[in-house]
Amino acid sequence: MAVTVTSGAPADGSTRRVTKRRAETRQRLLDAAYEVFAEVGFGRARPEQICERAGYTRGAFYSQFSSMDELFLTLWEQWSTRMLDDLRALLDSRVVAETADERELVEHVLRAVPLDDKWFRVNSEFTTHAIRHPELRALVAARERANAAAIVPVVEALLARVGRVVTDREALGQALIAVHDGTMAQCLVEPENPVVAARRVDLFLRVILSFTVRD
């Protein structure tokens, strides 16, 4: 039976229930999409597969998203928000308060933002897809810049704990994202290789030292 939502908040709270139900449906579709994309690839995934995994009919998908691209971009926004929340939580942690130097700080940050091979697979394939479509490519580029702009103030605050001041915020943000994505691929290819993991830390440290000065 269809539910009609009228303007204003009814006394029985039905508007709140409908809003909550819609949010739950959306999240279940996003969670299902993440798993489907990781399993079969973004290019091969279909709305029907996502709906089946989430336990809905096809109509549920189009009541929430206009396209697979929109669904992925929503998923990306959630992932970016979680990563930023993890970094912000690190600011208030005891381990950072007791950090002695830049390398130790980098190690704490990398532990707070763990490698995720599912996300790497999904994000890499979508990036390739976006590069083939100019409008989508421009949108992805804008979101990358926005993510970098959001991350840099948190990184600045973390670096201040070890006496470093950022000299080029835009360049630092872009470089950190590039190193993160590139070294993630290397670590996922050789997950048991300690040399690769150590070089990941080295590269992040070099980037930080390149775009900061001692306070």
Side-chain angles (χ1 to χ4, degrees):
M1 180 176 66
V3 177
T4 301
V5 180
T6 59
S7 59
D12 65 359
S14 61
T15 298
R16 286 196 300 273
R17 286 201 299 273
V18 170
T19 301
K20 180 180 180 181
R21 186 180 304 119
R22 182 173 176 79
E24 289 173 348
T25 299
R26 188 177 185 83
Q27 191 57 53
R28 282 175 62 179
L29 287 168
L30 288 166
D31 292 341
Y34 178 70
E35 296 299 329
V36 171
F37 290 161
E39 288 175 13
V40 306
F42 177 82
R44 296 179 61 189
R46 298 292 178 266
E48 293 85 355
Q49 294 169 291
I50 294 169
C51 290
E52 182 179 358
R53 178 70 64 93
Y56 296 121
T57 62
R58 180 185 173 93
F61 180 94
Y62 290 106
S63 72
Q64 298 282 346
F65 306 102
S66 62
S67 66
M68 296 286 273
D69 289 346
E70 182 188 349
L71 183 150
F72 176 83
L73 291 171
T74 304
L75 196 61
W76 187 21
E77 184 176 354
Q78 280 195 349
W79 185 88
S80 299
T81 299
R82 289 192 196 107
M83 182 177 69
L84 192 58
D85 288 344
D86 290 341
L87 287 176
R88 285 174 176 149
L90 193 60
L91 272 174
D92 300 322
S93 69
R94 182 177 177 180
V95 292
V96 168
E98 298 174 351
T99 296
D101 57 33
E102 295 89 344
R103 186 179 187 86
E104 188 177 348
L105 179 64
V106 169
E107 291 170 346
H108 288 321
V109 169
L110 293 181
R111 280 195 290 271
V113 185
L115 300 173
D116 186 329
D117 78 309
K118 285 185 179 180
W119 176 250
F120 179 80
R121 280 180 271 149
V122 173
N123 189 44
S124 297
E125 186 174 1
F126 185 81
T127 300
T128 301
H129 165 70
I131 289 171
R132 297 191 182 101
H133 300 83
E135 290 185 6
L136 187 56
R137 182 175 62 208
L139 180 57
V140 168
R143 292 210 175 188
E144 285 279 16
R145 288 192 295 270
N147 286 341
I151 289 170
V152 167
V154 183
V155 173
E156 279 187 302
L158 288 167
L159 290 170
R161 304 290 180 86
V162 291
R164 306 294 301 189
V165 176
V166 176
T167 57
D168 190 332
R169 301 173 84 248
E170 184 177 353
L172 176 62
Q174 187 175 29
L176 287 175
I177 289 175
V179 172
H180 176 267
D181 292 349
T183 58
M184 183 188 296
Q186 293 173 333
C187 289
L188 291 173
V189 169
E190 297 186 77
E192 305 300 325
N193 189 335
V195 174
V196 172
R199 285 176 180 162
R200 173 174 165 84
V201 176
D202 290 341
L203 282 169
F204 271 103
L205 183 58
R206 287 176 183 272
V207 166
I208 286 171
L209 295 178
S210 295
F211 295 106
T212 64
V213 294
R214 178 63 64 182
D215 187 3

